[in-house]
Structure formats: structure tokens, C-alpha cells
Amino acid sequence: DFLLSLSVKDRRQYHRTSGSVPLDDIPVWTPAAGGSEPNRYPRNEKLDQKISLYSGDITKLEIDAIVNAANNSLLGGGGVDGAIHRAAGPLLKKECASLHGCETGEAKITCGYGLPAKYVIHTVGPIAQGGVGETERKALRSCYKNSMETATENAARSVAFPCISTGIYGYPPEQAVHEALATVREFLDAHHDKLDRVIFCVFLPTDKELYLQTLPLYFPAGDTPKSDS
Ligand code: APR
């Protein structure tokens, strides 16, 4: 409660790691007009300035909430889960232990402790080693939707997502990106007043390329100029 009561500036003395990235240093992603595939959603100018694509370590982001790709126990693991627990310090695991786990597709919030982020929103993605069916698709969308809902319930206005389930849990990234972007687009269409920024935090160069190619389909630029007939 003490840490949550502090301003961003006052919390800096409690960061356990250096090199934090303030929200203002995370550029807004602007769609480049045009592109090969047809857009899947019409342009919504209310969503301009709301999306960022950030390539790097999510534990460095000094924003309201970072999302953790956790497991059902919520007691830590490898990948981004391990990185977040290492940077946050032991109190994170202590609070997680009090939450008694998390169902796949659900989201639970804790303090960020030694992280520059105020909160951590823990969500558990589907394990997709055996291939992706409707169950896995729905569970992955729930991770994104429930994480954004949890953020808005706690007045967190900037949220960063890692590429949930696409590492150890084996969800093909080129399929996961569509579930992630469609869910965020639909949530922002309905609740754009509740969030200032949704950041897709990619860690692998392949994911950066994938998001650069796919974002314009879900957050299209202005209408393609009408050809004067
Ligand atoms: N910052 C941002 N993204 C990261 C970081 C980091 N520091 N470290 C890894 N990633 C990326 C990975 O490159 C991958 O794209 O996070 C994405 C998710 O990969 P995992 O962390 O393996 O998560 P997931 O596939 O959802 O598997 C969850 O792994 O760590 C365990 O406890 C966790 O059992 C759970 C399982």
C-alpha cells in the first residue's frame, strides 16, 4: 500500500533495477497508410495515440501496469515470469502466494514492488504445444481482455503486454498476434476513454517484425485516398 501511494517520481528510489523507461519515452505507433492485406477493422481516429510497439525488456517500463505471462500457481517460472519476479524482488512472490493461483485466461493484479511499473497483472495463457483450437484461441483472448479489464478496474491507464503463451507455452506467434490485436482493438473501441496507452512489448526480433506487419490490419491508417473516378 505504501508503494502504491507514492507518485511515479517518489517511487523511483525503490526501483531494484536501473534503466527504467518512462511512458513519455515510449513512442506512439502510427500506421503507415496502405499495405498489402485489406484492413480487418475500419479506422477509428480515437485510437490514434493509444498504441505502442516497444521492443525490449518489459521489466524496464515505468508505466501503470505490466502484464506477466504466468502459470496457474502464480509462484514464478522462467521466461518473462522469471524476469518480472527477479526485478520485482521477493515481495512479489509473497503477494502472489496470497492469491491462491490463477485460472487459465484469468488475470490477477499485484503491486509492482521493486519494478518501475506500479502494478503487475498476472495472467495465464493457454498451453498450445499440441496445436491451437477454439479453446486455446478463446483462452488467449480472455488473457488480453481480462488483463485490460483488471487494469481499468484499478485505474491503471497504461498497460504493456508481452507476447503471452508464445514462448514456453508454444502458441504459434503468427496466430497469437491476431488474437492479441483483435482483442485489444475491440476493447479499445468500447472503452477508449479508460486507457491512455496499450503497449505491445516484443522481445524477439521475429515478434517485432510480426507486429509491424500485423498492426496496420487492426489499427489502420486513414482511408486509402479515394481514387478520383
Ligand atoms: N520482456 C518482455 N518479453 C519477454 C521477456 C522480457 N524480459 N522475457 C521473455 N519475453 C517474451 C518471450 O520472448 C515470449 O515472446 O515473453 C513471451 C512469452 O514467453 P514466456 O515467458 O515463455 O511465457 P509463456 O509462453 O506464456 O509461458 C508461460 O513460462 O515462464 C513460465 O511461469 C511461466 O509456466 C509459465 C510459462
Side-chain angles (χ1 to χ4, degrees):
D1 293 343
F2 166 69
L3 282 171
L4 294 180
S5 70
L6 297 180
S7 69
V8 171
K9 202 162 122 324
D10 291 343
R11 282 188 67 243
R12 284 184 180 148
Q13 60 191 302
Y14 298 98
H15 292 181
R16 276 168 50 96
T17 54
S18 58
S20 64
V21 179
L23 178 61
D24 292 347
D25 291 359
I26 302 172
V28 169
W29 176 80
T30 45
S36 54
E37 285 187 56
N39 300 333
R40 302 194 182 192
Y41 290 81
R43 171 177 169 69
N44 177 349
E45 65 280 354
K46 290 196 182 69
L47 308 188
D48 292 352
Q49 316 296 316
K50 290 231 187 245
I51 298 293
S52 289
L53 177 61
Y54 178 81
S55 191
D57 183 351
I58 201 167
T59 68
K60 301 295 184 192
L61 301 184
E62 188 179 58
I63 61 174
D64 288 346
I66 61 171
V67 175
N68 180 22
N71 58 53
N72 296 115
S73 77
L74 286 188
L75 298 178
V80 68
D81 195 4
I84 288 174
H85 275 273
R86 273 194 302 281
L91 285 175
L92 179 61
K93 188 168 179 176
K94 220 167 160 59
E95 183 174 1
C96 283
S98 73
L99 299 176
H100 307 302
C102 182
E103 294 297 313
T104 298
E106 295 302 312
K108 291 191 176 181
I109 195 166
T110 64
C111 176
Y113 297 106
L115 284 162
K118 186 173 180 183
Y119 295 109
V120 180
I121 293 174
H122 306 264
T123 192
V124 181
I127 298 178
Q129 259 100 11
V132 175
E134 193 53 25
T135 311
E136 290 72 27
R137 277 188 67 246
K138 280 200 176 119
L140 188 58
R141 284 182 176 235
S142 298
C143 287
Y144 284 87
K145 185 168 188 289
N146 289 331
S147 295
M148 287 184 287
E149 274 174 359
T150 304
T152 56
E153 284 158 8
N154 291 274
R157 298 191 61 88
S158 51
V159 189
F161 285 103
C163 300
I164 301 166
S165 276
T166 65
I168 294 168
Y169 278 2
Y171 202 115
E174 65 283 354
Q175 294 181 52
V177 66
H178 290 285
E179 308 312 331
L181 294 183
T183 309
V184 170
R185 167 68 202 247
E186 286 162 23
F187 187 90
L188 287 177
D189 276 341
H191 306 290
H192 48 77
D193 53 326
K194 296 196 183 115
L195 283 172
D196 296 332
R197 194 85 69 85
V198 176
I199 299 161
F200 294 102
C201 179
V202 290
F203 200 59
L204 305 173
T206 45
D207 285 328
K208 179 174 183 180
E209 197 43 50
L210 186 58
Y211 271 78
L212 280 173
Q213 281 165 16
T214 315
L215 270 163
L217 304 183
Y218 292 89
F219 297 92
D223 300 334
T224 37
K226 299 266 178 297
S227 56
D228 40 6
S229 46

